[in-house]
Amino acid sequence: ISYMVIDYSLVCESNGHKSGQRLFWEIYAILMVLVFPIGVPLTFGILLYHRRYDLCPKMREYGTSYIFIRQDDWAHDVEIISESRRNRCAHLAFLTDIYKPHCFWFEVAESLRRVALGSMLMLFDNASLTQCTIAIIFCLGGIKVHNYYEPFIDNDDGRLAEGTHWQLFTIFFIVLSISGNVIPTQNEDDLGFLLVAITGFSLVMMLIILARRVYLRTKKKDADILDNAIQQRRDNEESVCGDRDNSSSLMVPKEKEI
C-alpha cells in the first residue's frame, strides 16, 4: 500500500491498483493543466491574434517581424489609434493597456513565465540543485526579454517589473547556494532576515515610486495654480489698461464741424 506523502489519509495504490481517490485527483489535475497552464495563455493568444492589426497597425506594413525583432522606432512607438479600433479592442484592454503597441502580446509571455516559475518547477525535487538552476535560468531569461522589448508604456512599471525579476533571481540564487552547501545554515536567523529583506524589496520600491508620483503631481498642481494666478493678474492688468485708454479717448474734444 502506498500513501500520499503530504496526506496519509489518501491511499495512492493498493495491491498494484490505484484507488478511486487517486484516479479522481489525477483526472482533476489533468483538467486543471488544460484549463490554466495551457488554456489561459492559449486563450489570450487567440484573442490578441484576432485583433492584432487593431492593436498594432504597423503590422500591416512591416509584418509579424515588427513585433518580435527590435526596431528603431520602438523607443517612440506611440501610435494614434482611432476610436473605432479602440472600441473593437475594448474587451482586451485588461491585457494590453499597460503595454506599448508592439508588445500587445506580452501578457501571454508573462503568463508562460509565471507558469514556468510555478507549476513547471514542481516537476523537479523541491529545493534541489536542478530545480533552483532551472528557476535561475528562467529568471535571467525573463530579465533579458524585458530589457530587449521594453514593453511598458510607463517607465515606472518597467522599473518595478525589472526589480521583481531581480528579486526572484536573488531568492533562487540563495536557495541554490543553500542546497549546494555554499552558504552555511547554522545561523538561520540572519538568513531569515536576509530573505525577508529581499522579499520586501519590491514593496519598498513600489512605495518609493508612489511617493515620487505624489510629489511630482503635487508639484505640477502648485505650478498650474501659480501659472493661473500669473495669467489672471496679466488679464486684470490688460483690462485696467484698456479701461484707461477708453476713458482718455472720451476726454479728447471732438473737432467742430464747419
Side-chain angles (χ1 to χ4, degrees):
I1 299 177
S2 60
Y3 299 90
M4 183 176 287
V5 175
I6 60 174
D7 186 356
Y8 288 107
S9 66
L10 296 177
V11 178
C12 295
E13 289 187 15
S14 177
N15 298 325
H17 299 287
K18 293 182 179 180
S19 65
Q21 287 179 312
R22 171 72 180 267
L23 289 173
F24 169 79
W25 287 113
E26 283 185 352
I27 294 172
Y28 177 79
I30 292 171
L31 290 176
M32 290 303 103
V33 166
L34 295 176
V35 168
F36 182 71
I38 296 175
V40 171
L42 182 62
T43 303
F44 287 170
I46 292 173
L47 291 172
L48 293 171
Y49 181 81
H50 183 61
R51 293 296 180 188
R52 62 193 183 281
Y53 295 126
D54 292 326
L55 295 167
C56 184
K58 288 187 178 180
M59 282 186 65
R60 289 186 181 276
E61 182 180 355
Y62 299 105
T64 307
S65 61
Y66 177 80
I67 63 174
F68 293 119
I69 300 175
R70 191 172 184 86
Q71 308 292 327
D72 294 334
D73 63 346
W74 275 6
H76 7 260
D77 186 10
V78 181
E79 296 185 69
I80 299 175
I81 299 178
S82 64
E83 192 65 28
S84 59
R85 283 178 175 170
R86 288 184 183 278
N87 292 334
R88 287 197 296 268
C89 302
H91 62 292
L92 301 174
F94 74 104
L95 294 174
T96 60
D97 265 4
I98 62 175
Y99 299 116
K100 296 176 182 177
H102 72 270
C103 282
F104 68 88
W105 51 270
F106 207 78
E107 192 61 34
V108 177
E110 278 293 285
S111 299
L112 293 175
R113 183 185 68 86
R114 296 185 194 110
V115 169
L117 288 173
S119 305
M120 193 176 294
L121 293 181
M122 295 174 62
L123 300 175
F124 307 95
D125 293 335
N126 189 33
S128 64
L129 292 175
T130 303
Q131 186 187 58
C132 295
T133 302
I134 291 174
I136 286 174
I137 292 173
F138 283 144
C139 287
L140 292 175
I143 294 170
K144 180 62 180 176
V145 169
H146 177 272
N147 290 336
Y148 181 81
Y149 288 103
E150 298 178 352
F152 294 97
I153 295 174
D154 193 321
N155 290 331
D156 286 340
D157 290 340
R159 296 186 189 101
L160 187 59
E162 186 176 1
T164 55
H165 283 310
W166 283 110
Q167 177 188 12
L168 280 174
F169 167 79
T170 307
I171 291 173
F172 282 122
F173 183 78
I174 291 175
V175 174
L176 177 64
S177 301
I178 294 173
S179 300
N181 297 321
V182 177
I183 297 178
T185 57
Q186 288 81 2
N187 199 343
E188 294 182 357
D189 291 339
D190 293 341
L191 191 58
F193 283 126
L194 176 61
L195 289 173
V196 169
I198 294 171
T199 305
F201 170 76
S202 57
L203 176 61
V204 173
M205 190 174 181
M206 183 184 67
L207 292 175
I208 291 173
I209 290 174
L210 182 61
R212 176 176 168 272
R213 287 196 169 195
V214 171
Y215 169 74
L216 292 176
R217 186 173 297 178
T218 305
K219 188 176 179 182
K220 184 179 182 300
K221 187 176 180 180
D222 293 341
D224 291 341
I225 292 173
L226 181 60
D227 291 341
N228 290 334
I230 293 172
Q231 185 62 38
Q232 188 174 2
R233 183 176 178 181
R234 287 176 179 172
D235 293 342
N236 291 337
E237 289 177 352
E238 290 177 359
S239 177
V240 170
C241 292
D243 292 341
R244 287 178 180 174
D245 292 341
N246 291 334
S247 60
S248 60
S249 63
L250 291 174
M251 294 176 64
V252 176
K254 295 183 179 179
E255 295 182 2
K256 187 180 281 188
E257 295 181 0
I258 301 176

